[in-house]
Amino acid sequence: MTKLLNDALVFFSLFGLGLSFYSYIIELSVEMDENYVASCDFSEHMSCTKAFKSEYGKGFGILGRLLGNDSVFNLPNSLYGILFYSFLATVGFSDSTFTTTIALGATVLSNCASVYFASILIFILKDLCVVCVTIYVINFINLILVYIKLGRLRQEEKLKQN
Ligand SMILES: C/C(=C\C[C@@]12O[C@]1(C)C(=O)c1ccccc1C2=O)CCC[C@H](C)CCC[C@H](C)CCCC(C)C
């Protein structure tokens, strides 16, 4: 009964994974070649590298301050994205209520991250990063999908008990 939901969840998680990989490649390219022009840089106020290269592009702009800029955990956000969406794509296959509850927690967390990053884009960097905004949309879709899925799993459990 959750087959279509699972497929959609895995699809959007892989979409997020792809965007995270793409962001990471862009970051590496910009770092190696300062003349590199990223395909997601459209103008001064529509730039993805402006976000990635900012002080908020690494360790969520928090870990560096907490653990020191040289900490092994102060990685580019895109690497955390790769970890996160790989995890979500994997648990997306599971029809266990427990696993899906974990997935719900993770997607709630990622939407908090969306709000945090979106405010940085709007109020501090005054930048429209298309890759970032697409990530926010994906995070929201994933939240809705996991929420619906958990509801159905709980309903199925109830039906089995009776
Ligand atoms: C494209 C990507 C990250 C790039 C980033 O684009 C973001 C998000 C953004 O909006 C932004 C704004 C302002 C400055 C910099 C930036 C960015 O650089 C990857 C998805 C990141 C995703 C939102 C992470 C979700 C992580 C979980 C909430 C926590 C996972 C914890 C791990 C230990 C698994």
Side-chain angles (χ1 to χ4, degrees):
M1 199 166 105
T2 58
K3 177 84 176 75
L4 198 68
L5 272 175
N6 287 1
D7 286 348
L9 193 54
V10 171
F11 174 82
F12 283 106
S13 301
L14 292 179
F15 202 145
L17 184 63
L19 281 177
S20 301
F21 265 118
Y22 172 76
S23 309
Y24 188 55
I25 290 169
I26 296 287
E27 275 169 64
L28 288 183
S29 308
V30 172
E31 213 166 284
M32 290 195 296
D33 170 11
E34 50 190 55
N35 295 317
Y36 180 85
V37 181
S39 51
C40 51
D41 277 354
F42 301 102
S43 71
E44 171 93 38
H45 294 287
M46 235 178 133
S47 157
C48 61
T49 54
K50 198 169 163 182
F52 300 161
K53 282 197 300 182
S54 75
E55 56 176 306
Y56 305 98
K58 256 181 142 191
F60 308 104
I62 304 172
L63 296 181
R65 261 181 248 176
L66 290 179
L67 310 168
N69 283 328
D70 304 322
S71 162
V72 278
F73 297 108
N74 196 23
L75 302 168
N77 297 345
S78 50
L79 275 181
Y80 285 103
I82 291 173
L83 282 177
F84 177 76
Y85 294 110
S86 307
F87 168 75
L88 208 57
T90 311
V91 298
F93 288 104
S94 165
D95 278 340
S96 130
T97 315
F98 178 72
T99 310
T100 309
T101 307
I102 304 277
L104 184 64
T107 49
V108 168
L109 208 67
S110 72
N111 277 272
C112 297
S114 293
V115 173
Y116 167 71
F117 282 124
S119 8
I120 290 171
L121 279 185
I122 297 170
F123 299 114
I124 300 177
L125 301 176
K126 298 185 174 53
D127 178 39
L128 181 76
C129 157
V130 178
V131 177
C132 306
V133 175
T134 314
I135 287 273
Y136 311 154
V137 175
I138 290 173
N139 286 347
F140 189 65
I141 294 175
N142 280 337
L143 175 66
I144 303 291
L145 291 174
V146 175
Y147 183 77
I148 298 174
K149 179 176 163 180
L150 191 59
R152 287 202 190 164
L153 288 175
R154 284 189 175 146
Q155 204 179 359
E156 274 175 21
E157 256 180 10
K158 258 191 199 164
L159 289 175
K160 267 181 212 157
Q161 278 167 7
N162 294 333

